[in-house]
Amino acid sequence: MPRAATGESSIARAARIIAAFTAEETSLTVTEIARRTGLHIATASRLIAELTTHGLLARGPDRDVRIGVRLWELASRASPISSLRDAAMPYLEDLHAVVGHHAQLGVLDGDDVLFAERLSARDAVINYSQIAGRLPVHASSSGHVLAAHAPPEVRDRVLQQPMPRYTAATITTPDQLDRAWAAVRRQGYAFLPGHVHEDATGIAVPVRNTLNEVVASLSIIVPNDEHAQAGIPALLAAARGITRTLTSHRPPNSRPG
């Protein structure tokens, strides 16, 4: 495959272009993509044109660049999250109906929580997460659950990284975070009032596979008030239901976990 003078392949450069888009910035100019990827603007323009030809990127009405429908199609078809999401959706819908705010499903990807699904309501409390969006594990309830049950090397890596503060309640020191993860393992859920936004409480529980490994987090975001803990029983029941589905039925051609 063609390589740049630096030895980087065209595929690697194309991957950097696609990764330049974020959940908040889904439309970029060629100049902005070149700046974010460190590519020469002529190189970025050529690769963008090739990716657009194959439907992986698309041009907007103002010639801005966007993720193409073909890329979404391929990713949805191959995603290992699909079977997890399918198993979770009936329980996620019931949970959302009970809490009346946000119910969401997250997985650990690198050092972040990647949200595979989120159900919300028009008048729900503020929530920074979104589908295909990310939050750092140190600040979110989903992140606490996933990190608490992650391999030791993952936890050690997170503990050594900077921990941005979102509110006065956000945990930003390794000792505090390690103790919080221990509490999650002990009590079976994470309860984080006001850690990402002062008005919201995040509560999360683990979802397990056939090997009893934690493969996802199920969480709710509710108002940060005296009623916040009321949703915990429904959250735990929904997570048990998803776990039963994952451990009792495997769709054809799917892979466990």
Side-chain angles (χ1 to χ4, degrees):
M1 72 185 64
R3 291 183 176 272
T6 59
E8 185 182 39
S9 70
S10 294
I11 291 178
R13 286 177 286 164
R16 277 202 281 153
I17 288 174
I18 293 172
F21 297 89
T22 68
E24 295 78 22
E25 298 169 296
T26 58
S27 177
L28 299 170
T29 65
V30 174
T31 301
E32 181 64 20
I33 292 173
R35 186 186 65 80
R36 293 187 178 195
T37 58
L39 296 172
H40 189 279
I41 191 166
T43 302
S45 181
R46 176 177 58 80
L47 290 171
I48 288 168
E50 291 186 31
L51 291 167
T52 301
T53 298
H54 293 285
L56 303 178
L57 294 178
R59 290 283 195 172
D62 297 325
R63 301 298 295 164
D64 53 321
V65 184
R66 305 173 181 181
I67 295 294
V69 174
R70 178 64 172 164
L71 183 60
W72 169 84
E73 177 190 2
L74 294 173
S76 298
R77 186 186 305 164
S79 174
I81 295 176
S82 295
S83 59
L84 173 63
R85 181 185 175 278
D86 290 343
M89 278 307 295
Y91 301 97
L92 197 64
E93 290 170 349
D94 288 346
L95 179 63
H96 174 245
V98 170
V99 301
H101 286 270
H102 309 277
Q104 50 199 28
L105 184 72
V107 297
L108 186 65
D109 187 57
D111 299 330
D112 297 322
V113 182
L114 175 63
F115 291 95
E117 185 57 80
R118 190 189 84 163
L119 300 180
S120 188
R122 183 176 58 184
D123 298 323
V125 69
I126 189 169
N127 183 11
Y128 288 154
S129 65
Q130 54 186 299
I131 297 174
R134 294 171 179 265
L135 281 176
V137 297
H138 79 278
S140 64
S141 58
S142 293
H144 277 225
V145 163
L146 294 168
H149 296 282
E153 58 270 21
V154 174
R155 296 199 298 272
D156 290 342
R157 186 173 68 239
V158 173
L159 291 173
Q160 294 171 13
Q161 293 179 350
M163 302 178 195
R165 183 180 296 279
Y166 289 81
T167 72
T170 307
I171 294 175
T172 57
T173 66
D175 288 345
Q176 285 182 307
L177 190 56
D178 202 29
R179 288 197 298 270
W181 291 342
V184 169
R185 291 190 292 270
R186 184 172 60 252
Q187 66 192 12
Y189 62 88
F191 182 80
L192 272 63
H195 282 234
V196 177
H197 191 281
E198 293 86 350
D199 296 335
T201 292
I203 313 172
V205 297
V207 174
R208 300 177 183 272
N209 65 6
T210 54
L211 302 177
N212 202 37
E213 299 166 332
V214 173
V215 294
S217 64
L218 184 67
S219 62
I220 56 175
I221 308 298
V222 295
N224 184 12
D225 58 25
E226 66 274 15
H227 305 295
Q229 293 188 352
I232 294 177
L235 185 59
L236 290 168
R240 288 194 295 268
I242 299 171
T243 295
R244 283 197 302 271
T245 301
L246 290 175
T247 57
S248 65
H249 173 69
R250 188 184 307 168
N253 301 321
S254 70
R255 306 175 78 176

